[in-house]
Amino acid sequence: AISETVDLRIELANAPTQNHVPEPVSDEIIAARIDLANDFIRRHTILMPQPDPTTAPPFFALLPNKIGIPQKWKRGEEGMGAVDIAYAAGRFRLEDNEALILQGAVPRCRFANVVLWNRFLQTFDYSSYEEYPVFFTLDTPPEAEEYAPFSIILSKKKPQGYKGKWMYTENRHMGTIFFRFLLPEGDEKEYQRIITKVV
């Protein structure tokens, strides 16, 4: 993995003095902020349209329990993304007694993770992350390696005695699995597909 250390320092410009009392915010500004928050919530819940499979980006698998081939988002494609990040995503659909195994390899990059989302693009509840993980930071390759393999089990309950990476479905039958690889190196055509298997 890249082990370069960078020292950063942030200085607060125009820092208030110890006795500084901020001016109260006007009713008009508070009302405008409430309207913005209300608009955001509505657009990401009841006003959000159902996904259109014909406009899905190439890295998003359309079949359930599959993950698209990792690749960078490109300007002009549907959806949102950053041009220096490779993505891979898909939806899971599992019954209570089923689990989804995800196996793949992280390419050389600065950071990689996987997150579970609901249909409103919101991360599953991570307040009990230690016991019920809904996201993982993935290991990046050692200095001499091109890839770092990973294996994750996604299910309602953690398999008894399992010591590897497990992600909690929150008892949901459906959700989105979203991988991100920041500043990936090499040719994206050589990135390895994430293999899935329902058991």
Side-chain angles (χ1 to χ4, degrees), residues 122-185:
Q122 298 163 333
T123 306
F124 284 10
D125 182 13
Y126 52 85
S127 59
S128 301
Y129 174 79
E130 292 297 326
E131 189 174 359
Y132 298 103
V134 295
F135 68 88
F136 272 111
T137 299
L138 301 172
D139 293 333
T140 54
E143 202 66 44
E145 303 293 333
E146 292 298 317
Y147 294 94
F150 65 84
S151 181
I152 301 170
I153 291 181
L154 174 65
S155 62
K156 178 180 177 180
K157 293 181 180 179
K158 185 175 183 178
Q160 191 171 6
Y162 182 68
K163 302 296 185 183
K165 286 182 167 60
W166 167 72
M167 296 182 76
Y168 177 49
T169 63
E170 291 188 340
N171 298 327
R172 299 172 186 261
H173 293 289
M174 298 177 62
T176 296
I177 308 164
F178 200 84
F179 287 85
R180 283 176 282 215
F181 309 99
L182 278 64
L183 297 173
E185 300 178 10

Short mmCIF file of all heavy atoms in Angstrom, two decimals, residues 122-185:
data_model
loop_
_atom_site.label_atom_id
_atom_site.label_comp_id
_atom_site.label_asym_id
_atom_site.label_seq_id
_atom_site.Cartn_x
_atom_site.Cartn_y
_atom_site.Cartn_z
N GLN A 122 -29.04 6.24 0.43
CA GLN A 122 -28.62 6.50 1.81
C GLN A 122 -27.90 5.27 2.35
O GLN A 122 -28.35 4.14 2.14
CB GLN A 122 -29.83 6.83 2.68
CG GLN A 122 -30.57 8.08 2.24
CD GLN A 122 -31.97 8.16 2.83
OE1 GLN A 122 -32.59 7.14 3.13
NE2 GLN A 122 -32.47 9.37 2.98
N THR A 123 -26.80 5.49 3.05
CA THR A 123 -26.08 4.38 3.66
C THR A 123 -26.94 3.72 4.72
O THR A 123 -27.65 4.38 5.46
CB THR A 123 -24.78 4.90 4.32
OG1 THR A 123 -24.02 5.63 3.34
CG2 THR A 123 -23.94 3.76 4.86
N PHE A 124 -26.87 2.39 4.79
CA PHE A 124 -27.56 1.69 5.87
C PHE A 124 -27.08 2.24 7.21
O PHE A 124 -26.00 2.83 7.31
CB PHE A 124 -27.25 0.19 5.80
CG PHE A 124 -28.01 -0.56 4.72
CD1 PHE A 124 -28.73 0.10 3.75
CD2 PHE A 124 -27.97 -1.94 4.69
CE1 PHE A 124 -29.42 -0.59 2.76
CE2 PHE A 124 -28.65 -2.65 3.70
CZ PHE A 124 -29.38 -1.97 2.74
N ASP A 125 -27.86 2.01 8.25
CA ASP A 125 -27.55 2.54 9.58
C ASP A 125 -26.23 1.96 10.09
O ASP A 125 -26.08 0.75 10.23
CB ASP A 125 -28.69 2.18 10.53
CG ASP A 125 -28.47 2.74 11.93
OD1 ASP A 125 -27.58 3.60 12.11
OD2 ASP A 125 -29.19 2.31 12.85
N TYR A 126 -25.27 2.84 10.36
CA TYR A 126 -23.97 2.38 10.85
C TYR A 126 -23.73 2.74 12.31
O TYR A 126 -22.60 2.71 12.80
CB TYR A 126 -22.83 2.93 9.98
CG TYR A 126 -22.84 4.41 9.77
CD1 TYR A 126 -22.28 5.28 10.69
CD2 TYR A 126 -23.42 4.95 8.63
CE1 TYR A 126 -22.29 6.65 10.48
CE2 TYR A 126 -23.44 6.32 8.41
CZ TYR A 126 -22.87 7.16 9.34
OH TYR A 126 -22.90 8.52 9.15
N SER A 127 -24.81 3.04 13.06
CA SER A 127 -24.65 3.40 14.48
C SER A 127 -24.18 2.22 15.32
O SER A 127 -23.61 2.40 16.39
CB SER A 127 -25.96 3.97 15.04
OG SER A 127 -27.01 3.01 14.91
N SER A 128 -24.44 1.00 14.84
CA SER A 128 -23.96 -0.20 15.54
C SER A 128 -22.92 -0.92 14.70
O SER A 128 -22.91 -2.15 14.59
CB SER A 128 -25.14 -1.14 15.85
OG SER A 128 -26.11 -0.49 16.64
N TYR A 129 -22.02 -0.13 14.10
CA TYR A 129 -21.07 -0.66 13.12
C TYR A 129 -20.23 -1.81 13.66
O TYR A 129 -19.99 -2.78 12.96
CB TYR A 129 -20.16 0.46 12.62
CG TYR A 129 -19.06 -0.03 11.70
CD1 TYR A 129 -19.32 -0.33 10.37
CD2 TYR A 129 -17.77 -0.23 12.18
CE1 TYR A 129 -18.33 -0.80 9.53
CE2 TYR A 129 -16.77 -0.70 11.34
CZ TYR A 129 -17.06 -0.99 10.02
OH TYR A 129 -16.08 -1.46 9.19
N GLU A 130 -19.76 -1.70 14.89
CA GLU A 130 -18.87 -2.72 15.43
C GLU A 130 -19.51 -4.10 15.40
O GLU A 130 -18.85 -5.10 15.12
CB GLU A 130 -18.45 -2.35 16.87
CG GLU A 130 -17.56 -1.13 16.98
CD GLU A 130 -16.23 -1.32 16.26
OE1 GLU A 130 -15.71 -2.45 16.26
OE2 GLU A 130 -15.70 -0.34 15.72
N GLU A 131 -20.81 -4.14 15.69
CA GLU A 131 -21.50 -5.43 15.73
C GLU A 131 -22.18 -5.77 14.41
O GLU A 131 -22.27 -6.93 14.03
CB GLU A 131 -22.54 -5.41 16.86
CG GLU A 131 -23.17 -6.75 17.15
CD GLU A 131 -24.08 -6.71 18.37
OE1 GLU A 131 -24.19 -5.63 18.99
OE2 GLU A 131 -24.67 -7.75 18.68
N TYR A 132 -22.66 -4.73 13.71
CA TYR A 132 -23.42 -4.94 12.47
C TYR A 132 -22.85 -4.04 11.37
O TYR A 132 -23.42 -2.99 11.05
CB TYR A 132 -24.90 -4.63 12.69
CG TYR A 132 -25.56 -5.53 13.71
CD1 TYR A 132 -25.82 -5.08 14.99
CD2 TYR A 132 -25.90 -6.84 13.38
CE1 TYR A 132 -26.42 -5.91 15.93
CE2 TYR A 132 -26.50 -7.68 14.30
CZ TYR A 132 -26.76 -7.20 15.58
OH TYR A 132 -27.35 -8.04 16.49
N PRO A 133 -21.72 -4.40 10.77
CA PRO A 133 -21.07 -3.54 9.76
C PRO A 133 -21.85 -3.47 8.45
O PRO A 133 -22.33 -4.48 7.95
CB PRO A 133 -19.70 -4.21 9.55
CG PRO A 133 -19.92 -5.64 9.94
CD PRO A 133 -20.95 -5.63 11.03
N VAL A 134 -22.01 -2.25 7.95
CA VAL A 134 -22.68 -2.04 6.66
C VAL A 134 -21.75 -1.39 5.65
O VAL A 134 -22.17 -1.01 4.56
CB VAL A 134 -23.97 -1.19 6.84
CG1 VAL A 134 -24.99 -1.94 7.67
CG2 VAL A 134 -23.65 0.17 7.45
N PHE A 135 -20.47 -1.21 6.00
CA PHE A 135 -19.46 -0.74 5.05
C PHE A 135 -18.10 -1.25 5.51
O PHE A 135 -17.92 -1.64 6.66
CB PHE A 135 -19.47 0.78 4.92
CG PHE A 135 -19.00 1.51 6.15
CD1 PHE A 135 -17.66 1.79 6.36
CD2 PHE A 135 -19.92 1.92 7.11
CE1 PHE A 135 -17.23 2.44 7.50
CE2 PHE A 135 -19.50 2.57 8.26
CZ PHE A 135 -18.15 2.84 8.46
N PHE A 136 -17.15 -1.27 4.58
CA PHE A 136 -15.79 -1.69 4.89
C PHE A 136 -14.81 -0.85 4.11
O PHE A 136 -15.04 -0.53 2.94
CB PHE A 136 -15.55 -3.17 4.53
CG PHE A 136 -15.89 -4.14 5.62
CD1 PHE A 136 -16.97 -4.98 5.48
CD2 PHE A 136 -15.14 -4.20 6.78
CE1 PHE A 136 -17.30 -5.88 6.47
CE2 PHE A 136 -15.45 -5.09 7.79
CZ PHE A 136 -16.55 -5.93 7.63
N THR A 137 -13.69 -0.51 4.75
CA THR A 137 -12.53 -0.01 4.03
C THR A 137 -11.72 -1.24 3.61
O THR A 137 -11.41 -2.09 4.44
CB THR A 137 -11.68 0.90 4.93
OG1 THR A 137 -12.46 2.03 5.33
CG2 THR A 137 -10.44 1.37 4.18
N LEU A 138 -11.43 -1.33 2.32
CA LEU A 138 -10.74 -2.51 1.79
C LEU A 138 -9.23 -2.27 1.76
O LEU A 138 -8.78 -1.14 1.52
CB LEU A 138 -11.25 -2.82 0.39
CG LEU A 138 -12.75 -3.10 0.28
CD1 LEU A 138 -13.17 -3.20 -1.18
CD2 LEU A 138 -13.11 -4.39 1.02
N ASP A 139 -8.48 -3.33 2.00
CA ASP A 139 -7.02 -3.23 1.94
C ASP A 139 -6.57 -2.94 0.52
O ASP A 139 -7.07 -3.54 -0.44
CB ASP A 139 -6.38 -4.53 2.42
CG ASP A 139 -6.63 -4.79 3.91
OD1 ASP A 139 -6.81 -3.81 4.65
OD2 ASP A 139 -6.65 -5.96 4.31
N THR A 140 -5.63 -2.02 0.38
CA THR A 140 -5.03 -1.76 -0.93
C THR A 140 -3.79 -2.64 -1.09
O THR A 140 -3.26 -3.17 -0.11
CB THR A 140 -4.65 -0.27 -1.07
OG1 THR A 140 -3.82 0.12 0.04
CG2 THR A 140 -5.90 0.60 -1.07
N PRO A 141 -3.33 -2.87 -2.33
CA PRO A 141 -2.24 -3.82 -2.55
C PRO A 141 -0.93 -3.39 -1.88
O PRO A 141 -0.63 -2.20 -1.79
CB PRO A 141 -2.07 -3.82 -4.07
CG PRO A 141 -3.36 -3.30 -4.60
CD PRO A 141 -3.87 -2.33 -3.58
N PRO A 142 -0.14 -4.37 -1.42
CA PRO A 142 1.22 -4.06 -0.92
C PRO A 142 2.05 -3.47 -2.06
O PRO A 142 1.68 -3.56 -3.23
CB PRO A 142 1.75 -5.43 -0.48
CG PRO A 142 0.55 -6.30 -0.32
CD PRO A 142 -0.47 -5.78 -1.29
N GLU A 143 3.17 -2.91 -1.71
CA GLU A 143 4.00 -2.18 -2.67
C GLU A 143 4.36 -3.01 -3.90
O GLU A 143 4.36 -2.51 -5.01
CB GLU A 143 5.29 -1.71 -1.96
CG GLU A 143 5.96 -0.54 -2.65
CD GLU A 143 5.13 0.74 -2.59
OE1 GLU A 143 4.58 1.05 -1.54
OE2 GLU A 143 5.02 1.41 -3.64
N ALA A 144 4.65 -4.28 -3.71
CA ALA A 144 5.12 -5.11 -4.82
C ALA A 144 3.99 -5.82 -5.57
O ALA A 144 4.25 -6.55 -6.52
CB ALA A 144 6.12 -6.14 -4.30
N GLU A 145 2.76 -5.61 -5.16
CA GLU A 145 1.64 -6.32 -5.76
C GLU A 145 0.74 -5.37 -6.56
O GLU A 145 0.67 -4.18 -6.29
CB GLU A 145 0.80 -7.02 -4.68
CG GLU A 145 1.58 -8.00 -3.82
CD GLU A 145 2.05 -9.21 -4.59
OE1 GLU A 145 1.40 -9.56 -5.59
OE2 GLU A 145 3.08 -9.80 -4.21
N GLU A 146 0.06 -5.94 -7.56
CA GLU A 146 -0.85 -5.14 -8.38
C GLU A 146 -2.28 -5.16 -7.83
O GLU A 146 -3.06 -4.25 -8.08
CB GLU A 146 -0.86 -5.67 -9.82
CG GLU A 146 0.45 -5.45 -10.56
CD GLU A 146 0.79 -3.97 -10.70
OE1 GLU A 146 -0.12 -3.18 -11.01
OE2 GLU A 146 1.95 -3.62 -10.45
N TYR A 147 -2.62 -6.21 -7.09
CA TYR A 147 -3.98 -6.36 -6.57
C TYR A 147 -3.96 -6.88 -5.15
O TYR A 147 -3.00 -7.56 -4.74
CB TYR A 147 -4.80 -7.32 -7.44
CG TYR A 147 -5.06 -6.81 -8.83
CD1 TYR A 147 -4.21 -7.15 -9.89
CD2 TYR A 147 -6.15 -5.98 -9.10
CE1 TYR A 147 -4.43 -6.67 -11.17
CE2 TYR A 147 -6.38 -5.50 -10.38
CZ TYR A 147 -5.52 -5.85 -11.41
OH TYR A 147 -5.75 -5.37 -12.66
N ALA A 148 -5.02 -6.56 -4.40
CA ALA A 148 -5.20 -7.09 -3.05
C ALA A 148 -6.54 -7.83 -3.02
O ALA A 148 -7.60 -7.20 -3.10
CB ALA A 148 -5.18 -5.97 -2.02
N PRO A 149 -6.53 -9.16 -2.94
CA PRO A 149 -7.79 -9.91 -2.97
C PRO A 149 -8.64 -9.66 -1.72
O PRO A 149 -8.12 -9.36 -0.65
CB PRO A 149 -7.33 -11.37 -3.05
CG PRO A 149 -5.92 -11.38 -2.63
CD PRO A 149 -5.36 -10.02 -2.85
N PHE A 150 -9.96 -9.79 -1.89
CA PHE A 150 -10.87 -9.66 -0.75
C PHE A 150 -12.02 -10.64 -0.92
O PHE A 150 -12.33 -11.09 -2.03
CB PHE A 150 -11.41 -8.23 -0.62
CG PHE A 150 -12.29 -7.80 -1.75
CD1 PHE A 150 -13.65 -8.11 -1.78
CD2 PHE A 150 -11.77 -7.08 -2.82
CE1 PHE A 150 -14.46 -7.72 -2.82
CE2 PHE A 150 -12.57 -6.67 -3.87
CZ PHE A 150 -13.92 -7.00 -3.88
N SER A 151 -12.65 -10.96 0.19
CA SER A 151 -13.83 -11.81 0.20
C SER A 151 -14.77 -11.30 1.29
O SER A 151 -14.34 -11.05 2.43
CB SER A 151 -13.45 -13.27 0.46
OG SER A 151 -14.60 -14.10 0.44
N ILE A 152 -16.04 -11.11 0.94
CA ILE A 152 -17.04 -10.56 1.86
C ILE A 152 -18.30 -11.40 1.77
O ILE A 152 -18.71 -11.81 0.68
CB ILE A 152 -17.37 -9.10 1.51
CG1 ILE A 152 -16.13 -8.21 1.57
CG2 ILE A 152 -18.46 -8.54 2.43
CD1 ILE A 152 -16.34 -6.82 1.00
N ILE A 153 -18.91 -11.66 2.91
CA ILE A 153 -20.22 -12.31 2.94
C ILE A 153 -21.27 -11.28 3.34
O ILE A 153 -21.10 -10.55 4.33
CB ILE A 153 -20.24 -13.50 3.90
CG1 ILE A 153 -19.37 -14.64 3.36
CG2 ILE A 153 -21.66 -14.00 4.13
CD1 ILE A 153 -19.33 -15.87 4.24
N LEU A 154 -22.35 -11.21 2.57
CA LEU A 154 -23.45 -10.30 2.82
C LEU A 154 -24.67 -11.13 3.20
O LEU A 154 -25.11 -11.98 2.42
CB LEU A 154 -23.72 -9.47 1.56
CG LEU A 154 -24.91 -8.54 1.53
CD1 LEU A 154 -24.74 -7.42 2.52
CD2 LEU A 154 -25.10 -7.98 0.12
N SER A 155 -25.24 -10.89 4.39
CA SER A 155 -26.37 -11.71 4.81
C SER A 155 -27.08 -11.07 6.00
O SER A 155 -26.61 -10.08 6.57
CB SER A 155 -25.90 -13.12 5.20
OG SER A 155 -25.01 -13.08 6.29
N LYS A 156 -28.21 -11.68 6.35
CA LYS A 156 -29.02 -11.21 7.48
C LYS A 156 -28.32 -11.49 8.80
O LYS A 156 -28.37 -10.69 9.73
CB LYS A 156 -30.38 -11.91 7.43
CG LYS A 156 -31.31 -11.56 8.57
CD LYS A 156 -32.64 -12.31 8.41
CE LYS A 156 -33.57 -12.04 9.58
NZ LYS A 156 -34.85 -12.76 9.42
N LYS A 157 -27.67 -12.66 8.89
CA LYS A 157 -26.97 -13.05 10.10
C LYS A 157 -25.54 -13.42 9.76
O LYS A 157 -25.28 -13.99 8.71
CB LYS A 157 -27.66 -14.25 10.77
CG LYS A 157 -29.04 -13.95 11.33
CD LYS A 157 -29.62 -15.17 11.99
CE LYS A 157 -31.01 -14.89 12.56
NZ LYS A 157 -31.60 -16.10 13.19
N LYS A 158 -24.62 -13.12 10.68
CA LYS A 158 -23.23 -13.50 10.47
C LYS A 158 -23.09 -15.01 10.60
O LYS A 158 -23.59 -15.60 11.57
CB LYS A 158 -22.33 -12.81 11.49
CG LYS A 158 -20.85 -13.05 11.27
CD LYS A 158 -20.01 -12.24 12.23
CE LYS A 158 -18.53 -12.42 11.95
NZ LYS A 158 -17.70 -11.61 12.85
N PRO A 159 -22.46 -15.66 9.62
CA PRO A 159 -22.28 -17.12 9.71
C PRO A 159 -21.53 -17.49 10.98
O PRO A 159 -20.54 -16.85 11.34
CB PRO A 159 -21.46 -17.45 8.46
CG PRO A 159 -21.72 -16.32 7.52
CD PRO A 159 -21.92 -15.10 8.37
N GLN A 160 -22.01 -18.49 11.66
CA GLN A 160 -21.43 -18.90 12.93
C GLN A 160 -19.97 -19.30 12.76
O GLN A 160 -19.62 -20.09 11.89
CB GLN A 160 -22.22 -20.07 13.51
CG GLN A 160 -21.86 -20.42 14.94
CD GLN A 160 -22.81 -21.43 15.54
OE1 GLN A 160 -23.67 -21.96 14.86
NE2 GLN A 160 -22.64 -21.72 16.82
N GLY A 161 -19.11 -18.71 13.58
CA GLY A 161 -17.69 -19.02 13.54
C GLY A 161 -16.91 -18.33 12.45
O GLY A 161 -15.69 -18.49 12.36
N TYR A 162 -17.59 -17.54 11.60
CA TYR A 162 -16.90 -16.89 10.47
C TYR A 162 -16.06 -15.73 10.96
O TYR A 162 -16.54 -14.86 11.71
CB TYR A 162 -17.94 -16.41 9.46
CG TYR A 162 -17.36 -15.76 8.23
CD1 TYR A 162 -16.64 -16.50 7.30
CD2 TYR A 162 -17.52 -14.40 7.99
CE1 TYR A 162 -16.10 -15.92 6.18
CE2 TYR A 162 -16.99 -13.81 6.86
CZ TYR A 162 -16.28 -14.57 5.96
OH TYR A 162 -15.75 -13.98 4.84
N LYS A 163 -14.80 -15.68 10.57
CA LYS A 163 -13.87 -14.64 11.04
C LYS A 163 -13.58 -13.58 9.99
O LYS A 163 -12.91 -12.59 10.26
CB LYS A 163 -12.54 -15.29 11.46
CG LYS A 163 -12.67 -16.35 12.55
CD LYS A 163 -13.17 -15.76 13.86
CE LYS A 163 -13.19 -16.82 14.96
NZ LYS A 163 -13.75 -16.29 16.22
N GLY A 164 -14.06 -13.78 8.76
CA GLY A 164 -13.77 -12.83 7.69
C GLY A 164 -14.71 -11.64 7.68
O GLY A 164 -15.45 -11.38 8.64
N LYS A 165 -14.69 -10.91 6.58
CA LYS A 165 -15.53 -9.71 6.45
C LYS A 165 -16.98 -10.12 6.20
O LYS A 165 -17.27 -10.90 5.30
CB LYS A 165 -15.01 -8.83 5.31
CG LYS A 165 -13.74 -8.07 5.63
CD LYS A 165 -13.34 -7.18 4.46
CE LYS A 165 -12.27 -6.17 4.83
NZ LYS A 165 -11.04 -6.79 5.30
N TRP A 166 -17.87 -9.56 7.00
CA TRP A 166 -19.30 -9.82 6.89
C TRP A 166 -20.05 -8.49 6.89
O TRP A 166 -19.71 -7.59 7.66
CB TRP A 166 -19.78 -10.69 8.04
CG TRP A 166 -21.28 -10.75 8.19
CD1 TRP A 166 -22.16 -11.41 7.38
CD2 TRP A 166 -22.07 -10.12 9.20
NE1 TRP A 166 -23.46 -11.23 7.82
CE2 TRP A 166 -23.42 -10.45 8.94
CE3 TRP A 166 -21.76 -9.31 10.30
CZ2 TRP A 166 -24.47 -9.99 9.74
CZ3 TRP A 166 -22.81 -8.86 11.09
CH2 TRP A 166 -24.13 -9.20 10.82
N MET A 167 -21.04 -8.35 6.01
CA MET A 167 -21.85 -7.13 5.96
C MET A 167 -23.30 -7.47 6.26
O MET A 167 -23.85 -8.45 5.76
CB MET A 167 -21.71 -6.44 4.59
CG MET A 167 -20.29 -5.97 4.31
SD MET A 167 -20.13 -5.12 2.73
CE MET A 167 -20.85 -3.53 3.13
N TYR A 168 -23.91 -6.62 7.05
CA TYR A 168 -25.26 -6.83 7.57
C TYR A 168 -26.30 -6.21 6.64
O TYR A 168 -26.22 -5.03 6.31
CB TYR A 168 -25.33 -6.20 8.97
CG TYR A 168 -26.66 -6.24 9.65
CD1 TYR A 168 -27.40 -7.43 9.74
CD2 TYR A 168 -27.17 -5.10 10.27
CE1 TYR A 168 -28.61 -7.45 10.40
CE2 TYR A 168 -28.38 -5.13 10.93
CZ TYR A 168 -29.10 -6.30 10.99
OH TYR A 168 -30.30 -6.34 11.66
N THR A 169 -27.30 -6.99 6.25
CA THR A 169 -28.34 -6.50 5.33
C THR A 169 -29.45 -5.74 6.03
O THR A 169 -30.37 -5.26 5.37
CB THR A 169 -28.99 -7.66 4.57
OG1 THR A 169 -29.64 -8.53 5.52
CG2 THR A 169 -27.96 -8.46 3.78
N GLU A 170 -29.38 -5.61 7.37
CA GLU A 170 -30.45 -4.98 8.15
C GLU A 170 -31.79 -5.69 7.95
O GLU A 170 -32.85 -5.07 8.00
CB GLU A 170 -30.61 -3.50 7.78
CG GLU A 170 -29.46 -2.63 8.22
CD GLU A 170 -29.74 -1.15 8.00
OE1 GLU A 170 -30.63 -0.79 7.20
OE2 GLU A 170 -29.05 -0.33 8.65
N ASN A 171 -31.75 -6.96 7.68
CA ASN A 171 -32.96 -7.75 7.41
C ASN A 171 -33.69 -7.29 6.15
O ASN A 171 -34.86 -7.64 5.94
CB ASN A 171 -33.93 -7.72 8.60
CG ASN A 171 -33.31 -8.33 9.84
OD1 ASN A 171 -32.52 -9.26 9.75
ND2 ASN A 171 -33.66 -7.81 11.00
N ARG A 172 -33.02 -6.52 5.31
CA ARG A 172 -33.61 -6.07 4.05
C ARG A 172 -33.41 -7.16 3.00
O ARG A 172 -32.37 -7.79 2.95
CB ARG A 172 -32.96 -4.77 3.57
CG ARG A 172 -33.11 -3.59 4.52
CD ARG A 172 -32.26 -2.43 4.03
NE ARG A 172 -32.24 -1.32 4.96
CZ ARG A 172 -33.00 -0.23 4.84
NH1 ARG A 172 -33.83 -0.12 3.80
NH2 ARG A 172 -32.92 0.74 5.71
N HIS A 173 -34.40 -7.31 2.14
CA HIS A 173 -34.28 -8.27 1.05
C HIS A 173 -33.58 -7.65 -0.16
O HIS A 173 -33.09 -8.37 -1.03
CB HIS A 173 -35.65 -8.79 0.64
CG HIS A 173 -36.31 -9.63 1.69
ND1 HIS A 173 -35.86 -10.89 2.02
CD2 HIS A 173 -37.35 -9.38 2.52
CE1 HIS A 173 -36.60 -11.39 2.99
NE2 HIS A 173 -37.52 -10.49 3.32
N MET A 174 -33.54 -6.31 -0.22
CA MET A 174 -32.94 -5.63 -1.37
C MET A 174 -32.11 -4.45 -0.90
O MET A 174 -32.38 -3.85 0.14
CB MET A 174 -34.02 -5.15 -2.35
CG MET A 174 -34.86 -6.24 -2.95
SD MET A 174 -36.16 -5.58 -4.03
CE MET A 174 -35.17 -4.76 -5.28
N GLY A 175 -31.12 -4.11 -1.69
CA GLY A 175 -30.29 -2.94 -1.42
C GLY A 175 -29.24 -2.81 -2.50
O GLY A 175 -29.13 -3.65 -3.40
N THR A 176 -28.43 -1.77 -2.41
CA THR A 176 -27.36 -1.51 -3.38
C THR A 176 -26.01 -1.73 -2.74
O THR A 176 -25.77 -1.32 -1.60
CB THR A 176 -27.46 -0.07 -3.92
OG1 THR A 176 -28.69 0.09 -4.63
CG2 THR A 176 -26.30 0.25 -4.85
N ILE A 177 -25.12 -2.39 -3.48
CA ILE A 177 -23.73 -2.60 -3.06
C ILE A 177 -22.87 -1.67 -3.91
O ILE A 177 -22.90 -1.74 -5.14
CB ILE A 177 -23.30 -4.06 -3.28
CG1 ILE A 177 -24.30 -5.02 -2.63
CG2 ILE A 177 -21.89 -4.29 -2.75
CD1 ILE A 177 -24.16 -6.45 -3.11
N PHE A 178 -22.09 -0.82 -3.27
CA PHE A 178 -21.36 0.22 -4.01
C PHE A 178 -19.88 0.20 -3.62
O PHE A 178 -19.53 0.42 -2.47
CB PHE A 178 -21.97 1.59 -3.70
CG PHE A 178 -21.63 2.64 -4.71
CD1 PHE A 178 -22.37 2.78 -5.86
CD2 PHE A 178 -20.56 3.50 -4.51
CE1 PHE A 178 -22.06 3.75 -6.80
CE2 PHE A 178 -20.25 4.47 -5.43
CZ PHE A 178 -21.00 4.59 -6.59
N PHE A 179 -19.03 -0.09 -4.61
CA PHE A 179 -17.57 -0.10 -4.42
C PHE A 179 -16.97 1.19 -4.98
O PHE A 179 -17.42 1.68 -6.02
CB PHE A 179 -16.93 -1.28 -5.16
CG PHE A 179 -17.17 -2.61 -4.54
CD1 PHE A 179 -18.32 -3.33 -4.82
CD2 PHE A 179 -16.23 -3.17 -3.68
CE1 PHE A 179 -18.53 -4.58 -4.27
CE2 PHE A 179 -16.43 -4.42 -3.12
CZ PHE A 179 -17.59 -5.12 -3.41
N ARG A 180 -15.92 1.70 -4.31
CA ARG A 180 -15.17 2.86 -4.79
C ARG A 180 -13.68 2.59 -4.68
O ARG A 180 -13.21 2.08 -3.66
CB ARG A 180 -15.52 4.11 -3.98
CG ARG A 180 -16.83 4.74 -4.33
CD ARG A 180 -17.13 5.90 -3.41
NE ARG A 180 -17.59 5.40 -2.14
CZ ARG A 180 -18.52 6.01 -1.40
NH1 ARG A 180 -19.06 7.12 -1.80
NH2 ARG A 180 -18.88 5.51 -0.24
N PHE A 181 -12.93 2.96 -5.74
CA PHE A 181 -11.48 2.83 -5.77
C PHE A 181 -10.92 4.20 -6.15
O PHE A 181 -11.00 4.61 -7.30
CB PHE A 181 -11.05 1.76 -6.77
CG PHE A 181 -11.77 0.44 -6.59
CD1 PHE A 181 -12.85 0.10 -7.40
CD2 PHE A 181 -11.38 -0.44 -5.60
CE1 PHE A 181 -13.51 -1.10 -7.24
CE2 PHE A 181 -12.05 -1.65 -5.42
CZ PHE A 181 -13.12 -1.99 -6.24
N LEU A 182 -10.36 4.92 -5.18
CA LEU A 182 -9.90 6.29 -5.40
C LEU A 182 -8.51 6.32 -6.00
O LEU A 182 -7.59 5.64 -5.53
CB LEU A 182 -9.91 7.08 -4.09
CG LEU A 182 -11.26 7.66 -3.66
CD1 LEU A 182 -12.27 6.56 -3.36
CD2 LEU A 182 -11.10 8.58 -2.47
N LEU A 183 -8.36 7.15 -7.05
CA LEU A 183 -7.09 7.32 -7.76
C LEU A 183 -6.48 5.97 -8.14
O LEU A 183 -5.33 5.67 -7.81
CB LEU A 183 -6.10 8.13 -6.92
CG LEU A 183 -6.52 9.57 -6.61
CD1 LEU A 183 -5.54 10.22 -5.64
CD2 LEU A 183 -6.62 10.39 -7.89
N PRO A 184 -7.24 5.14 -8.84
CA PRO A 184 -6.71 3.82 -9.22
C PRO A 184 -5.61 3.96 -10.28
O PRO A 184 -5.63 4.87 -11.10
CB PRO A 184 -7.94 3.11 -9.79
CG PRO A 184 -8.79 4.22 -10.35
CD PRO A 184 -8.58 5.38 -9.39
N GLU A 185 -4.68 3.03 -10.24
CA GLU A 185 -3.58 3.02 -11.20
C GLU A 185 -3.82 1.95 -12.25
O GLU A 185 -4.63 1.05 -12.09
CB GLU A 185 -2.25 2.76 -10.47
CG GLU A 185 -1.92 3.81 -9.42
CD GLU A 185 -0.63 3.48 -8.68
OE1 GLU A 185 0.10 2.55 -9.12
OE2 GLU A 185 -0.35 4.14 -7.67
#
